[in-house]
């Protein structure tokens, strides 16, 4: 334990009211703040994607053939308006998906490019804020529903909930299913 004593400029306070703070230098941090810099330094990639690691996860990192589950909230950068969310309190998706993380095949172009790049390098349990230029989101066309206009930059708060295994396994199951159907058809 280190004891740090602060003194005031006033002699009266120094003599009668010293302020003592006890700091346990060996106590583990209460959260896993990602950045060494406590101001959460923003990293910008070559493509223009900016991100801040809010919490570094300690689970598996997704590979290029994995299924991932992600909780998210998306905002328009121009006015911070919430545009989409998987969080139960703000989820505007259908009832069957409400409050559930979004699941998708990672590394296969199933989501906007900024998500693919922004999730790369995360670990399960990690939380990251993405600052996405329009080129990595909906570009010059905007979203099909018109909520995101052409050229809109986006901000996403994302949490990598799970890495759910390799798509190679799913391909193997599909091949096995096809073989089984073929055998049934031949023997019928």
């Amino acid at each position: 334990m280190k004891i740090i004593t602060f003194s005031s400029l006033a002699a009266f306070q120094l003599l009668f009211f010293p302020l003592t703070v006890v700091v346990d230098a060996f106590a583990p941090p209460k959260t896993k703040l990602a950045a060494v810099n406590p101001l959460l330094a923003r990293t910008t990639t070559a493509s223009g994607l900016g991100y801040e690691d809010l919490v570094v996860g300690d689970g598996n990192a997704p590979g290029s053939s994995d299924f991932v589950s992600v909780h998210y909230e998306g905002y328009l950068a121009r006015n911070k308006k919430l545009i989409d969310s998987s969080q139960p309190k703000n989820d505007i998706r259908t009832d069957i998906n409400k409050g559930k993380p979004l699941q998708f095949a990672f590394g296969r172009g199933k989501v906007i490019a900024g998500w693919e790049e922004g999730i790369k390098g995360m670990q399960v349990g990690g939380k990251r804020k993405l600052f996405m230029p329009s080129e990595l989101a909906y570009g010059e066309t905007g979203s099909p529903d018109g909520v995101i206009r052409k050229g809109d930059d986006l901000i996403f708060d994302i949490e990598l909930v799970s890495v759910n295994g390799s798509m190679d396994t799913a391909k193997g199951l599909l091949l096995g299913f096809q073989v089984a159907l073929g055998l049934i058809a031949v023997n019928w």
Side-chain angles (χ1 to χ4, degrees):
M1 252 193 229
K2 278 197 294 196
I3 298 178
I4 304 170
T5 304
F6 298 93
S7 61
S8 170
L9 295 175
F12 179 78
Q13 285 180 332
L14 183 61
L15 291 173
F16 297 105
F17 302 103
L19 176 63
T20 303
V21 177
V22 177
V23 177
D24 187 352
F26 300 103
K30 295 199 190 292
T31 61
K32 296 178 184 179
L33 287 179
V36 174
N37 178 351
L39 299 177
L40 297 173
R42 185 181 301 179
T43 301
T44 302
T45 67
S47 69
L49 177 75
Y51 67 88
E52 295 171 354
D53 281 324
L54 307 175
V55 175
V56 172
D58 56 6
N60 294 333
S64 62
S65 61
D66 286 332
F67 290 104
V68 296
S69 297
V70 178
H71 266 304
Y72 67 94
E73 288 190 336
Y75 303 88
L76 295 172
R78 63 181 148 85
N79 61 9
K80 310 299 186 269
K81 178 184 174 192
L82 180 69
I83 53 169
D84 199 4
S85 175
S86 69
Q87 299 295 344
K89 67 182 185 293
N90 296 323
D91 197 341
I92 57 176
R93 299 177 297 162
T94 60
D95 287 341
I96 198 166
N97 294 322
K98 201 170 279 288
K100 295 179 183 172
L102 177 68
Q103 297 180 352
F104 62 94
F106 180 70
R108 303 287 190 205
K110 300 296 183 186
V111 294
I112 56 179
W115 267 44
E116 292 278 2
E117 185 177 349
I119 291 171
K120 203 178 295 182
M122 288 184 72
Q123 292 176 277
V124 171
K127 294 182 180 184
R128 188 174 272 182
K129 184 178 285 287
L130 304 178
F131 301 90
M132 199 175 300
S134 66
E135 299 81 26
L136 298 176
Y138 293 93
E140 290 304 312
T141 58
S143 64
D145 61 5
V147 172
I148 302 167
R149 298 187 306 213
K150 65 179 186 174
D152 268 345
D153 295 338
L154 304 176
I155 299 171
F156 283 97
D157 292 321
I158 60 173
E159 174 186 3
L160 184 56
V161 176
S162 65
V163 175
N164 302 319
S166 173
M167 290 189 319
D168 294 336
T169 302
K171 286 180 195 170
L173 290 173
L174 177 62
L175 179 62
F177 184 69
Q178 289 171 334
V179 168
L181 284 177
L183 289 173
I184 291 169
V186 168
N187 292 317
W188 194 349

